[in-house]
Amino acid sequence: MGSLRFAGKVWIFGDNIETDALAPGKYLVLPIEEAATHCLETLNPLFPSEVRPGDIIVGGRNFGCGSSREAAPAALKHLGISVVLAASFGRIFFRNAIALGLPVLACPGIAGTFREGDTAEVDVAAATVRHLGTGVTIAGQPLSEEMLRVLEEGGVFPMIQRIAREGYGGHMGMAAPRL
Amino acid sequence: MGYTMAEKILGRAVGRGVRAGENITVSVDVAMLNISMASVSRILKRAGVTRLWDPGRVVCIQDHNVPAPNEREAEVQRTIREAVQAYGIEAYYGENGGICHQVMVDQGHVRPGEVIVGSDSHTCTYGALGAAATGIGVTEMAYVLTTGKLWFRVPETLRFDLRGRLAERVTAKDILLWIAGRHGVDVAQYKAIEFSGEVAEALSIDSRLAMANMAVELGGKFGFFATDGATRAFLRGRIRGEPEDVRPDPDAGYETRIRVDVASLEPQVALPHAFDNVRSVSEVEGTVVHQAYIGSCTNGRLEDLRAAAEILRGKRVDRFTRLYVLPASWAVYRAAMEEGLVRTLLDAGAVFPGCDCGPCIGQMAVLAAGENCIASSSRNARGRMGSTDSGVFLASPATVAASAIYGKITDPRKV
């Protein structure tokens, strides 16, 4: 472990952010590079153009609820978001993010910790989040060892590649993520 | 302590008793794909997977942008057909199937007690027939198609005890909307839901399918109804053999129980732009709507078309309001035709564009800026049906039909 550490500028979003806002249905026909330019535009029109690689999303409760579209975490990953923090997550979004190798961390007490533009330091493996200005540190809900390993490997895709190459030998020692 | 429905079904899938909170790897009984097959087949190809774990357990249904409106969609749909042929998938439904979740239940691909995953969030619909069914993304679906396995956390269960009797023209949709308005869209986050009580037992299969469908709208992983005589009657002739009974044990352990008394419930409406932004119809009557839409995997079933036809019989849709009716499948369309419902709705001025997901996802019947749609579907995020300056109101098919007559949100009990 150790590589899942990030520091970046924070973008704040509210409760119940739907995958429809992350990847609007009407743009799903487009390649992810184009669909991503509409990511979260209905909630913050500046976001898709001003977000920079390494930035961090801080959401409220139930982040990524709604449709199962994997374009939602894929759009964030494409835009270079390093980690998504939220008070809680919609379960399919959470699974999809891990499957794509996009780090996510549920932090039930995160509301009010950051303002837009603040800088956060996140250690996903240790499940800690620190406000680099105020020094306030909050704890997240730790991911399982197996989920961390999927993230370190860059997602589920490399596992499928390996199975295609070497055959299926049980779950690669993987136990279940918590969703 | 006894077992919940989730614990029973997942436990049987792994061959031992399991409890909420455990992490398990289960063998999947059925995998359902819709347009997601295009992405999944690309992932499989890129990963070098040429053979599926069991093509006989895979169902693929075309239900987005059918028929193809442009070349790009035509290419997507060709990719899907080619993948289905290359993998040897027998259970394929093309143009004449309908919306995937309705086709799954229409055509007998759902059996009580099975574990079913679908790369579509409304896969939880099949819990109405006692299956542990849930939505996953395309990368995980590629994993399932390769190995037949998926990891799950056995969820805690939230049990709704539905009591009382529904008033005239108040429906399962209204109960679910009321629950969302009262308890929020994350009340069941990461959990299984069991709908129980005298109201649940009296609901038709169509209504149960609608409620289970919206479990995901409450954050739920599964939305269950215990199987009973109605389930068996529905499944007879659709599946081979006798369906098993799947019911929770009387002493099952629930994380939360919520009692809902429906006796005084009014028709409910979710206002833009959130599923839990819910009011009673009396509070929003008169709000102008430019479009009315009856369809979707939530409320496009025969019972829904019956409710709409009952309200629209001998009436006319407002001349500046368009009413689109998309039966959830071609089997539902046929049954509606045979009952005379299609004629009644056509006489009232309804338009039938087909049987796909179109309007719900803004791929057809798109809203212009400043327009409102009242819809029987279950999602109303800003811009979902078109312009970011449009609004989607969610309600029962009865309320949608009544509103179409006046071009304003209307209480179906006053028509």
Side-chain angles (χ1 to χ4, degrees):
Chain A
M1 301 299 153
S3 66
L4 295 168
R5 293 158 83 158
F6 310 97
K9 190 186 130 192
V10 160
W11 292 84
I12 306 276
F13 291 92
D15 291 339
N16 304 318
I17 303 300
E18 296 194 40
T19 54
D20 258 289
L22 291 155
K26 56 189 165 184
Y27 303 120
L28 286 182
V29 294
L30 304 175
I32 193 67
E33 309 83 65
E34 290 175 58
T37 65
H38 299 282
C39 181
L40 293 165
E41 68 181 5
T42 55
L43 301 173
N44 180 350
L46 296 178
F47 176 77
S49 54
E50 296 195 355
V51 66
R52 293 291 171 262
D55 286 359
I56 290 170
I57 300 269
V58 174
R61 283 165 38 192
N62 207 22
F63 187 90
C65 59
S67 161
S68 60
R69 63 190 66 158
E70 201 163 287
L76 293 175
K77 194 178 174 192
H78 180 80
L79 293 171
I81 292 296
S82 58
V83 53
V84 183
L85 311 173
S88 65
F89 288 93
R91 61 164 283 276
I92 306 178
F93 175 89
F94 189 88
R95 286 189 81 119
N96 284 343
I98 302 269
L100 285 178
L102 172 68
V104 281
L105 192 62
C107 307
I110 201 164
T113 307
F114 292 95
R115 279 180 306 185
E116 189 124 315
D118 291 351
T119 303
E121 189 181 64
V122 183
D123 185 331
V124 176
T128 57
V129 178
R130 198 161 74 91
H131 188 300
L132 277 188
T134 63
V136 171
T137 300
I138 59 169
Q141 293 174 341
L143 302 180
S144 67
E145 284 291 308
E146 294 77 14
M147 289 159 84
L148 289 171
R149 204 160 74 226
V150 173
L151 288 176
E152 299 258 345
E153 282 203 33
V156 166
F157 181 75
M159 298 165 55
I160 303 174
Q161 271 184 314
R162 195 159 6 133
I163 294 166
R165 218 168 38 236
E166 299 165 14
Y168 178 64
H171 252 266
M172 322 307 286
M174 280 197 55
R178 60 173 294 278
L179 292 188
Chain B
M1 195 173 65
Y3 293 94
T4 63
M5 289 186 72
E7 289 167 340
K8 277 194 174 177
I9 298 171
L10 293 175
R12 212 200 35 188
V14 296
R16 63 181 172 84
V18 299
R19 292 296 184 185
E22 276 184 55
N23 291 322
I24 55 172
T25 296
V26 304
S27 296
V28 168
D29 291 302
V30 179
M32 192 289 298
L33 296 91
N34 53 13
I35 192 175
S36 52
M37 177 57 100
S39 308
V40 171
S41 63
R42 272 195 297 269
I43 294 170
L44 291 173
K45 194 171 177 186
R46 203 152 52 87
V49 176
T50 51
R51 266 185 350 171
L52 304 192
W53 112 93
D54 185 350
R57 292 184 178 276
V58 181
V59 185
C60 180
I61 302 157
Q62 300 257 21
D63 64 5
H64 282 58
N65 284 311
V66 176
N70 54 46
E71 278 184 51
R72 184 157 45 199
E73 287 305 311
E75 294 295 337
V76 168
Q77 291 172 23
R78 190 185 59 170
T79 304
I80 295 171
R81 283 189 294 272
E82 287 173 353
V84 165
Q85 289 171 295
Y87 298 138
I89 296 167
E90 291 292 324
Y92 168 70
Y93 299 88
E95 310 286 300
N96 58 358
I99 299 176
C100 61
H101 304 304
Q102 188 60 26
V103 173
M104 285 290 286
V105 298
D106 277 347
Q107 304 299 330
H109 294 294
V110 176
R111 300 180 69 102
E114 289 194 333
V115 176
I116 305 179
V117 294
S119 27
D120 188 282
S121 63
H122 286 115
T123 302
C124 53
T125 305
Y126 322 146
L129 301 176
T134 196
I136 59 174
V138 292
T139 300
E140 290 201 310
M141 181 55 87
Y143 186 89
V144 169
L145 292 195
T146 307
T147 64
K149 311 277 191 220
L150 193 64
W151 46 86
F152 278 118
R153 178 174 177 277
V154 182
E156 285 77 18
T157 296
L158 161 60
R159 184 174 167 107
F160 286 107
D161 189 14
L162 309 175
R163 294 281 159 190
R165 237 184 94 170
L166 285 169
E168 187 90 358
R169 292 190 174 166
V170 180
T171 69
K173 178 66 158 287
D174 301 302
I175 301 175
L176 206 293
L177 286 173
W178 183 88
I179 288 172
R182 175 66 186 271
H183 297 286
V185 289
D186 59 354
V187 64
Q189 197 171 56
Y190 312 145
K191 295 179 189 135
I193 296 172
E194 285 182 16
F195 296 104
S196 68
E198 60 197 4
V199 179
E201 287 162 19
L203 286 178
S204 68
I205 294 296
D206 278 3
S207 285
R208 294 181 192 181
L209 289 164
M211 285 193 88
N213 171 279
M214 290 179 281
V216 66
E217 260 50 77
L218 302 174
K221 177 179 199 161
F222 304 127
F224 288 118
F225 283 78
T227 60
D228 60 9
T231 322
R232 284 189 296 277
F234 178 84
L235 290 171
R236 201 161 295 134
R238 293 178 197 268
I239 64 170
R240 244 176 282 148
E242 270 300 296
E244 65 175 290
D245 269 317
V246 184
R247 311 182 61 82
D249 289 329
D251 58 342
Y254 294 101
E255 187 191 68
T256 317
R257 301 179 79 123
I258 297 178
R259 189 187 161 106
V260 178
D261 193 330
V262 305
S264 57
L265 188 67
E266 276 188 57
Q268 305 285 301
V269 181
L271 278 50
H273 303 282
F275 188 77
D276 55 1
N277 188 14
V278 174
R279 305 277 186 284
S280 289
V281 68
S282 55
E283 297 174 73
V284 293
E285 264 180 304
T287 305
V288 172
V289 293
H290 307 83
Q291 179 168 308
Y293 158 43
I294 296 169
S296 81
C297 61
T298 303
N299 277 119
R301 300 189 178 81
L302 190 59
E303 170 183 282
D304 302 321
L305 304 191
R306 276 188 200 131
E310 182 188 307
I311 283 173
L312 286 163
R313 186 162 292 121
K315 304 278 201 315
R316 284 293 297 178
V317 172
D318 173 73
R319 71 191 185 105
F320 288 112
T321 308
R322 59 261 184 196
L323 170 60
Y324 296 116
V325 180
L326 290 89
S329 70
W330 287 97
V332 170
Y333 201 144
R334 175 182 290 271
M337 190 184 69
E338 285 167 359
E339 272 190 34
L341 306 175
V342 173
R343 172 181 293 251
T344 301
L345 293 168
L346 286 173
D347 285 347
V351 169
F352 284 72
C355 298
D356 84 337
C357 306
C360 171
I361 196 175
Q363 291 177 335
M364 177 206 287
V366 175
L367 298 177
E371 289 192 325
N372 287 332
C373 176
I374 186 160
S376 72
S377 53
S378 60
R379 297 229 166 110
N380 63 344
R382 185 185 288 278
R384 179 161 170 108
M385 290 192 187
S387 166
T388 40
D389 295 320
S390 62
V392 178
F393 295 75
L394 303 173
S396 73
T399 304
V400 174
S403 304
I405 298 171
Y406 300 102
K408 295 174 194 163
I409 295 180
T410 301
D411 188 332
R413 297 168 303 178
K414 294 182 179 170
V415 175

